[in-house]
Amino acid sequence: MIQTHERPSSNDYVVLLPAREAAKVQLMLPLAAAIARQQNGQVVILGVVVVPHDQPLSDGMLETRQVRADYDQAADFSTFQVPIRTVITVAHDLTDGIRTSAEEQGANLILLGWPAQQSSSERLFGPPIDNLLRHPPCDVVVLRLHDEQTWRRVLLPVRGGPHTPLACDIAMALAEHHDASISVLYATNPRMPDDASVRASLQSLRSMPRVTRWLERSIPAEQAILAEDPDHQAIVLGVTGRRGDPEAPIGPLADRILRQSDSTIVLVRHRMAQSEELAQQIWQQNRDLSATVDRWFAENTFSSHEYDDLQRLFAHKQQQGVTISLALPTLNEEATIGEIIGQLQEHLVANVPLLDEIVLIDSGSHDRTREIAAAHGVPVYLHQEILSQYGAFAGKGEALWKSLYVLQGDIIAWCDTDIKNFHPRFVYGIVGPLLRERRLVYSKGFYRRPIQFGERIAATGGGRVTELNARPLLNLFYPELSGMLQPLSGEYAGRRSALEEVPFFTGYGVETGMLIDLLERHGLNALAQVDLMERIHRNQELVPLSKMAFAITQVVIQRMEQRQRVSLLEPVNQTMKLITQREDGGFSLELREIRDHERPPMARIPEYRRLRGLPPEPAG
């Protein structure tokens, strides 16, 4: 390292200005001095002599002398009212030279210039700017260089991120230098949630020196910035890397602004400590995820009323060229099954042939459920007899898995059969989104669930396992599904091509497992939910609900084990001590094994592949 003065004390604020050409020094130095003056600091002008990698650094001696002479002939620096020094370093790489000097000089900020004459199709920067923005050794500011011009207004968009304080400092320094005013812009995308705490924390900027306008816009930030661009000569933007692309030096917002605006653009990148960086990444991921879920909720939540026109829905079915099968899982449902089948056959088969097939999948009813269905002409299957060579487990999930084998349709729908206020919308509502939106692979119903206490019915209170167990678990471990109102509802439909590729849990956990697996295979945007209005059915006692919650918890943890490749469940975790009350008023503990078995994807079953005309699954 060759320098003309002593290294500054660690208490001084140092602005490092890498610049060798006299024209660039002349253009950048006033701005560097303005930043240093605001911080009571100094400017170090850095000249980097780059020696090819195949030559020793000592070969840079003559060029170093020439750069030193050039600096000595430069204009008088005393007019800038801040200490200004020159430093020359020799390196094999320009970026390395700047990094080394930043460390040796104790730099707080590196000021880089970028020429404005760039084609929109070109890569924006290149080394060293790309490298220093991606991995800043200290704060980094990049100016898009224009010829000296008069600034009247500086636009400062703020979002409350970690770069906001630095952006404010830079905006004030540059406004002071140009005797310009500052407009603070706070833009909120109406399709994404506004953080009230962030908005409140930014109110103090109203009293910042030279701030003359506070602008709030309820449109995406890019639109807001470009709308204000014509009234401003400079825009100060805080930038971070592009999520999902660690090689991108700036995010998509700054990239688009740079390509569309002709103003002087000032990019600021605050160097965060490792703990700060991690916290910021987590904050940004949570914010991005929250916005993603909110957008999904708005775009993928439908109402069954949207599909009341059955003729129109049938036309969509014909356009797609698909067939639709409905399976009705039953266990002792003689009180409701006849009414349900009757309405389905009248409205969705006879009046409008929306359904190509209705099948009853029974789990061994002891009442007249199967006889009633057969009397209506509906095919009846015992799930224990389907693919019997693979055995049979108790549980609704087992019935659903085996129904894939006997149903013929391209779209498969399932509907619970204990519904006391059944309406055809419970079926056409869940198939509607799949017929209207080809991007969707799965559609799930939700509804208001009254709860009955003796002879009295309360308007709300049903879905206790959903609210106390399933939704909290999904919010914790699968927050992408936090917008799913009723993940355990029994009315849902999916494309066979998706359903045959996911495993099925045999019992209470079937809906939870299916949601998680479809999410991970197809993404959130392929899932939908539909408001089916109100559903009245028999409410279970607390002990069965406790067993259901235990099984659902096991399913979520099992999926977490597979994702994280850790073991959390031991065999003992598959048994639960149920509390029972004895006749004498005392209590006892009953040990019960509660375990959902996991059936493989139906597409892996050889008999299914032969039935569907699929080639044999490859060995291994």
Side-chain angles (χ1 to χ4, degrees):
M1 172 69 65
I2 302 171
Q3 60 187 51
T4 58
H5 298 285
E6 295 291 322
R7 175 173 174 165
S9 74
S10 59
N11 295 326
D12 289 335
Y13 188 95
V14 176
V15 177
L16 188 67
L17 175 59
R20 285 183 53 178
E21 302 84 2
K24 187 172 183 180
V25 172
Q26 185 179 3
L27 190 59
M28 297 283 291
L29 184 55
L31 305 178
I35 297 170
R37 187 163 51 247
Q38 182 196 54
Q39 301 291 338
N40 296 316
Q42 58 182 291
V43 177
V44 175
I45 302 174
L46 172 66
V48 181
V49 174
V50 178
V51 176
H53 285 275
D54 59 353
Q55 298 178 19
L57 292 178
S58 59
D59 285 0
M61 180 187 64
L62 294 179
E63 188 176 353
T64 299
R65 289 178 180 175
Q66 182 59 53
V67 174
R68 186 184 301 117
D70 292 341
Y71 282 159
D72 288 343
Q73 296 173 9
D76 183 7
F77 296 152
S78 62
T79 60
F80 291 100
Q81 301 176 338
V82 295
I84 298 176
R85 303 179 300 108
T86 60
V87 168
I88 306 169
T89 189
V90 181
H92 286 304
D93 178 85
L94 179 57
T95 304
D96 290 343
I98 296 174
R99 285 187 182 279
T100 299
S101 295
E103 180 181 355
E104 293 180 349
Q105 297 301 312
N108 300 90
L109 182 144
I110 300 173
L111 180 63
L112 301 167
W114 173 63
Q117 295 77 25
Q118 293 273 2
S119 166
S120 60
S121 62
E122 290 179 329
R123 181 178 177 183
L124 279 175
F125 307 122
I129 294 178
D130 278 1
N131 299 329
L132 294 171
L133 281 175
R134 280 198 298 264
H135 306 291
C138 59
D139 292 347
V140 175
V141 175
V142 179
L143 259 75
R144 180 162 66 181
L145 298 176
H146 290 278
D147 293 336
E148 184 68 25
Q149 58 179 328
T150 301
W151 293 6
R152 301 185 311 278
R153 291 199 184 104
V154 176
L155 183 64
L156 175 60
V158 293
R159 291 184 287 179
H163 310 290
T164 297
L166 177 61
C168 291
D169 288 344
I170 299 302
M172 284 192 291
L174 300 183
E176 283 285 345
H177 172 65
H178 288 275
D179 193 23
S181 63
I182 299 174
S183 303
V184 179
L185 171 63
Y186 181 72
T188 57
N189 190 334
R191 299 181 64 174
M192 298 183 181
D194 184 22
D195 192 326
S197 63
V198 170
R199 180 192 291 264
S201 70
L202 294 172
Q203 295 301 312
S204 61
L205 301 184
R206 290 175 180 267
S207 58
M208 192 172 75
R210 295 195 169 266
V211 171
T212 60
R213 295 200 297 171
W214 174 272
L215 309 172
E216 291 195 16
R217 300 291 183 263
S218 219
I219 55 177
E222 179 184 345
Q223 295 179 27
I225 293 169
L226 292 175
E228 296 296 331
D229 180 37
D231 288 337
H232 297 81
Q233 290 71 52
I235 304 173
V236 181
L237 289 174
V239 297
T240 55
R242 194 182 303 241
R243 189 178 174 211
D245 184 2
E247 293 304 309
I250 61 175
L253 172 66
D255 187 284
R256 290 194 293 266
I257 297 300
L258 277 166
R259 295 182 187 277
Q260 297 182 57
S261 170
D262 292 325
S263 299
T264 295
I265 306 296
V266 185
L267 305 178
V268 303
R269 175 81 154 88
H270 169 56
R271 182 186 185 275
M272 293 177 281
Q274 187 173 5
S275 58
E276 268 188 296
E277 192 85 44
L278 179 59
Q280 169 62 16
Q281 289 173 3
I282 294 172
W283 176 84
Q284 187 64 45
Q285 288 171 3
N286 289 338
R287 178 175 176 175
D288 291 348
L289 179 58
S290 177
T292 297
V293 172
D294 284 348
R295 178 181 177 185
W296 173 85
F297 188 87
E299 295 180 351
N300 285 31
T301 300
F302 302 89
S303 168
S304 57
H305 287 317
E306 297 179 57
Y307 311 110
D308 285 344
D309 186 341
L310 297 182
Q311 289 291 351
R312 184 179 180 188
L313 203 57
F314 179 64
H316 286 299
K317 174 191 171 185
Q318 289 181 307
Q319 289 172 2
Q320 280 203 32
V322 295
T323 55
I324 303 176
S325 294
L326 171 67
L328 299 173
T330 56
L331 180 62
N332 299 322
E333 307 295 357
E334 66 178 5
T336 51
I337 191 61
E339 173 69 14
I340 290 172
I341 292 175
Q343 289 205 42
L344 290 170
Q345 290 179 326
E346 177 184 354
H347 297 284
L348 303 185
V349 177
N351 293 350
V352 179
L354 192 66
L355 295 179
D356 298 281
E357 180 181 32
I358 302 175
V359 170
L360 192 89
I361 307 291
D362 191 65
S363 294
S365 296
H366 301 301
D367 62 6
R368 298 181 57 252
T369 297
R370 293 194 298 276
E371 289 82 352
I372 294 172
H376 281 79
V378 170
V380 175
Y381 293 87
L382 273 171
H383 89 243
Q384 293 86 348
E385 297 176 355
I386 301 171
L387 294 174
S388 58
Q389 63 271 39
Y390 294 99
F393 295 105
K396 175 184 173 183
E398 176 83 346
L400 301 187
W401 180 70
K402 289 187 170 181
S403 71
L404 285 177
Y405 182 74
V406 299
L407 296 173
Q408 302 299 314
D410 303 305
I411 291 176
I412 307 296
W414 292 291
C415 181
D416 280 350
T417 51
D418 61 344
I419 304 173
K420 298 179 181 178
N421 64 327
F422 184 81
H423 187 279
R425 67 171 173 267
F426 282 81
V427 175
Y428 70 70
I430 57 175
V431 301
L434 299 176
L435 296 176
R436 287 268 295 272
E437 304 278 349
R438 299 195 182 204
R439 63 184 172 83
L440 299 174
V441 303
Y442 185 72
S443 173
K444 192 168 188 66
F446 69 91
Y447 27 69
R448 286 161 292 289
R449 300 179 68 170
I451 188 170
Q452 187 165 357
F453 300 96
E455 299 299 319
R456 183 173 65 89
I457 296 180
T460 60
R464 288 163 287 175
V465 175
T466 294
E467 294 303 326
L468 299 177
N469 176 251
R471 293 200 73 252
L473 283 172
L474 293 176
N475 271 264
L476 277 171
F477 300 116
Y478 292 92
E480 302 96 321
L481 296 172
S482 58
M484 191 69 69
L485 295 178
Q486 288 175 354
L488 305 184
S489 69
E491 289 67 51
Y492 38 91
R495 300 192 190 278
R496 176 185 292 274
S497 58
L499 297 172
E500 68 184 6
E501 294 292 343
V502 296
F504 277 55
F505 286 92
T506 56
Y508 295 123
V510 61
E511 287 91 4
T512 306
M514 191 182 301
L515 262 181
I516 292 172
D517 292 335
L518 288 171
L519 168 72
E520 297 201 328
R521 287 185 66 91
H522 298 278
L524 183 61
N525 203 42
L527 313 181
Q529 60 182 351
V530 186
D531 186 354
L532 302 179
M533 312 309 290
E534 183 179 82
R535 182 187 194 271
I536 300 175
H537 66 117
R538 63 172 182 267
N539 300 112
Q540 297 195 55
E541 299 294 331
L542 282 178
V543 170
L545 294 181
S546 180
K547 293 160 60 178
M548 181 186 300
F550 188 76
I552 290 167
T553 303
Q554 285 188 45
V555 167
V556 172
I557 292 177
Q558 185 171 328
R559 285 294 179 260
M560 286 296 297
E561 287 180 331
Q562 294 168 351
R563 174 192 275 186
Q564 304 296 336
R565 300 189 183 278
V566 296
S567 179
L568 300 174
L569 284 180
E570 300 293 338
V572 69
N573 297 127
Q574 296 171 355
T575 60
M576 182 180 183
K577 288 184 171 65
L578 299 175
I579 301 173
T580 57
Q581 187 170 6
R582 300 193 304 266
E583 292 183 1
D584 61 4
F587 295 91
S588 61
L589 294 177
E590 177 187 352
L591 187 65
R592 183 78 60 85
E593 180 178 355
I594 302 173
R595 177 188 175 195
D596 267 18
H597 300 272
E598 186 175 350
R599 288 295 197 178
M602 185 58 76
R604 295 183 187 172
I605 302 301
E607 292 84 352
Y608 177 84
R609 298 187 71 85
R610 287 195 294 271
L611 182 68
R612 304 298 302 175
L614 301 173
E617 193 173 24

